[in-house]
Amino acid sequence: MQSRIALYDLDRTALATPTFTSFLLFAARRDARWRLLLLPIWILAMLAHAMKFYDRDVLKPLGISLFIGRRIDQSHMQSLASAFADTRIPNDIQPGALAAMQADEANGYTLVLATAAPEFYACELGRRMGFQDVLATRHCRADNGDWLPAILGTNCYRHEKRRRIDRWLVEAGVNSEEADIRFYSDDLSDAPTLELANQGFAVNPNRKFARAADLAGWTIVDFRIGPSGAGER
């Protein structure tokens, strides 16, 4: 039987709004409100990233250090992730995404969340949305399992996301050339994975992404409304 895999991005695809800065501020408000005074430093750091002074592999650990700390107890991180998920699921799931996930699952697709978000909260979000596996940015762990801000490897973004997905397919025993693979994303940075999929979906695209989708033959869908029409009906 042909393998069926439905891959979804997280921010602005499955969920309506971004998660990373939101999670950092949520954690600071919950644990140490004084860390919110560091917000101007974070804004400057994001501006420096936007000006390409450094990449996300530097930016993300900095944000975690500023708002959560340089070492986070693993049980406490799970508590943070669970409480954060309470604020996002189901209210922030896009209607079209929910319809597409339900349709894909009904049609025998394995649902996989592929995101650049940190694994320590992305896995909890994915579990609650019904994904069978989650590929996210991995972070270093201390010997006792505590979380550290440093990224393990590199950020699960662009070509690295494609490499992670390729590796996942091999480990799952899926031949990508024979499988039915679909991928939903809101951003052109995911072009490497959209090129892997035999069914690519551009979710709520901006003009640049919409033009690229038209040229590449990716289906444009609006996940702000449901049903999206993206899944097989």
Side-chain angles (χ1 to χ4, degrees), residues 27 151 225 227:
I151 290 174
I225 58 175

Side-chain angles (χ1 to χ4, degrees), residues 19-233:
T19 58
F20 185 63
T21 296
S22 178
F23 178 76
L24 297 181
L25 298 180
F26 172 85
R29 286 193 298 268
R30 185 180 173 92
D31 285 350
R33 297 186 70 86
W34 66 266
R35 291 184 181 274
L36 296 174
L37 297 174
L38 303 174
L39 185 57
I41 297 175
W42 178 237
I43 292 173
L44 289 174
M46 289 192 292
L47 288 173
H49 167 261
M51 295 171 68
K52 302 188 185 302
F53 282 101
Y54 45 76
D55 61 17
R56 288 172 172 84
D57 287 21
V58 174
L59 181 69
K60 286 186 170 181
L62 173 61
I64 295 167
S65 297
L66 287 173
F67 293 105
I68 306 177
R70 295 184 180 277
R71 185 172 179 136
I72 308 100
D73 176 81
Q74 57 182 323
S75 61
H76 182 60
M77 182 62 87
Q78 180 56 46
S79 176
L80 281 175
S82 180
F84 179 67
D86 287 341
T87 70
R88 306 302 290 269
I89 309 297
N91 294 338
D92 200 40
I93 301 176
Q94 298 208 75
L98 180 60
M101 287 186 282
Q102 291 174 339
D104 286 341
E105 186 173 32
N107 282 287
Y109 286 85
T110 297
L111 303 184
V112 179
L113 185 65
T115 175
E119 60 183 329
F120 43 73
Y121 71 78
C123 289
E124 179 66 17
L125 292 173
R127 182 187 67 80
R128 294 203 187 191
M129 287 187 284
F131 286 95
Q132 287 132 299
D133 210 343
V134 176
L135 303 177
T137 297
R138 296 173 293 192
H139 285 259
C140 296
R141 309 289 290 268
D143 290 342
N144 68 347
D146 288 351
W147 290 97
L148 304 174
I151 290 174
L152 180 63
T154 190
N155 192 47
C156 186
Y157 179 75
R158 204 184 295 272
H159 293 289
E160 176 61 16
K161 183 184 287 189
R162 168 66 186 270
R163 284 191 288 267
R164 291 281 305 279
I165 290 169
D166 286 341
R167 190 177 308 126
W168 182 90
L169 291 169
V170 170
E171 292 173 353
V174 175
N175 184 331
S176 61
E177 295 183 358
E178 297 177 357
D180 181 0
I181 300 173
R182 48 178 53 187
F183 179 48
Y184 304 82
S185 175
D186 72 293
D187 197 272
L188 188 54
S189 65
D190 276 325
T193 303
L194 286 162
E195 291 165 359
L196 165 71
N198 54 304
Q199 298 179 77
F201 297 92
V203 177
N204 309 340
N206 58 25
R207 289 184 180 179
K208 182 178 180 181
F209 191 15
R211 287 195 298 270
D214 285 338
L215 290 172
W218 303 325
T219 302
I220 294 175
V221 292
D222 188 344
F223 270 7
R224 292 165 294 191
I225 58 175
S228 68
E232 294 180 4
R233 299 292 188 263

